[in-house]
Amino acid sequence: MKRIIPLLLVTAMTACGQSEAPQKINASEANIPTVEELAANPGRLKELRQQCKTDRPKLGDVLCNRVAEATRKRFYGDGETPYTPPKESPKF
């Protein structure tokens, strides 16, 4: 019973909260490069990563989130590479 009451309280508070309206794209967001554009230009991506680390409020969350996603995309690739185990098993 002690666990059910807080759970019901949290559920009721969550259900009664205001839903967020969908955000419209601002004119400033239209000038921000896409994830694909950033991933294709590693020099610019490196520069923006450093700027996001030091001055994120100035650059904005939208750009820094795209920079992070482009970095992830460059690191992991397209995700289509299958796992290929070694031909010989390791000797311990």
Side-chain angles (χ1 to χ4, degrees), residues 4 7 9 13 17 23 33 39 43 47 53 55 57-58 61 63 66 68-69 75 80 88:
I4 293 174
L7 180 61
L9 181 62
M13 291 177 68
Q23 296 179 354
E47 178 185 318
K53 286 180 184 178
D55 200 12
K58 181 182 175 189
D61 286 337
L63 177 60
R66 287 185 187 178
E69 182 64 23
F75 183 78
E80 299 297 320
E88 296 179 16

Side-chain angles (χ1 to χ4, degrees), residues 5-78:
I5 292 174
L7 180 61
L8 290 175
L9 181 62
V10 168
T11 305
M13 291 177 68
T14 304
C16 294
Q18 288 184 336
S19 62
E20 294 182 19
Q23 296 179 354
K24 296 179 182 178
I25 296 176
N26 297 336
S28 63
E29 289 182 25
N31 296 333
I32 297 175
T34 63
V35 173
E36 290 77 21
E37 291 171 351
L38 290 169
N41 189 350
R44 177 79 174 134
L45 182 62
K46 184 177 180 180
E47 178 185 318
L48 286 172
R49 282 182 61 210
Q50 186 62 35
Q51 289 177 4
C52 283
K53 286 180 184 178
T54 57
D55 200 12
R56 187 177 181 106
K58 181 182 175 189
L59 293 176
D61 286 337
V62 174
L63 177 60
C64 289
N65 288 343
R66 287 185 187 178
V67 167
E69 182 64 23
T71 303
R72 185 202 63 78
K73 193 171 195 174
R74 284 188 54 82
F75 183 78
Y76 287 116
D78 59 3

